[in-house]
Amino acid sequence: MKLSPRMQAFVTALARHYDFDLTRAENHLRLELDGFLPLVIEKIGPELLSLAHYYKLNGDLVATPDVVFYTGGSQGWLAIEISQPLDYTRYAYVEEGVLVEVNEGQGQDQEDLAAFVEEWAALLYGQSWLTGANRAGKPY
């Protein structure tokens, strides 16, 4: 499985800049930046973190995309699942603290997800989330 070092660096920099504890369980950070969908970082498990943009559709919140990272590896973060409207793919999950791969034989797909995540990180850097965003109180 391919790591996501650029996204790890970006989220870590956001956490540092906005005083967000990446180790605290069930923690979230919602950022708003003019011209862009809100960006939400959420700790969803001891070694799991979600990063998503959200918008409202017919009164419901929709994440696009929502990527879950496994943050417990010693080598770095792994993008292990992605959901978008009408699409969801999981490449691994954590069971009793152990990362378990699914979709065996489809490693290229996880590498494609990792490549997407790295491109997304570059876009987020370029959009000035580190310097121009405002912290919002509610996660969604």
Side-chain angles (χ1 to χ4, degrees), residues 5-17:
R6 182 180 285 170
M7 186 60 85
Q8 180 178 351
F10 173 74
V11 172
T12 302
L14 276 179
R16 193 171 32 255
H17 183 79

Side-chain angles (χ1 to χ4, degrees), residues 1 45-48 69-74 78 80 90-102 104:
M1 297 185 84
E47 299 176 328
L48 296 174
F69 296 89
Y70 172 68
T71 61
S74 62
L78 286 167
I80 61 170
R90 179 167 70 171
Y91 300 99
Y93 62 94
V94 178
E95 184 175 293
E96 297 181 14
V98 176
L99 185 68
V100 179
E101 289 186 51
V102 294
E104 290 187 32

Side-chain angles (χ1 to χ4, degrees), residues 6-128:
R6 182 180 285 170
M7 186 60 85
Q8 180 178 351
F10 173 74
V11 172
T12 302
L14 276 179
R16 193 171 32 255
H17 183 79
Y18 293 98
D19 195 28
F20 175 72
D21 185 353
L22 287 170
T23 63
R24 197 176 103 208
E26 299 180 20
N27 200 9
H28 74 273
L29 172 65
R30 177 189 165 121
L31 299 174
E32 296 177 348
L33 182 62
D34 287 342
F36 298 99
L37 296 173
L39 184 65
V40 177
I41 303 168
E42 188 172 15
K43 281 290 288 188
I44 58 173
E47 299 176 328
L48 296 174
L49 181 127
S50 167
L51 181 66
H53 281 294
Y54 281 93
Y55 68 95
K56 282 192 177 181
L57 178 66
N58 298 325
D60 294 324
L61 286 167
V62 180
T64 184
D66 182 358
V67 177
V68 174
F69 296 89
Y70 172 68
T71 61
S74 62
Q75 301 298 311
W77 292 9
L78 286 167
I80 61 170
E81 66 183 67
I82 182 170
S83 60
Q84 300 181 76
L86 306 177
D87 190 29
Y88 169 79
T89 306
R90 179 167 70 171
Y91 300 99
Y93 62 94
V94 178
E95 184 175 293
E96 297 181 14
V98 176
L99 185 68
V100 179
E101 289 186 51
V102 294
N103 299 337
E104 290 187 32
Q106 297 179 1
Q108 183 62 41
D109 291 338
Q110 190 282 332
E111 290 178 12
D112 291 344
L113 174 58
F116 163 75
V117 164
E118 294 297 271
E119 289 177 26
W120 187 24
L123 286 172
L124 293 171
Y125 271 116
Q127 293 168 348
S128 301

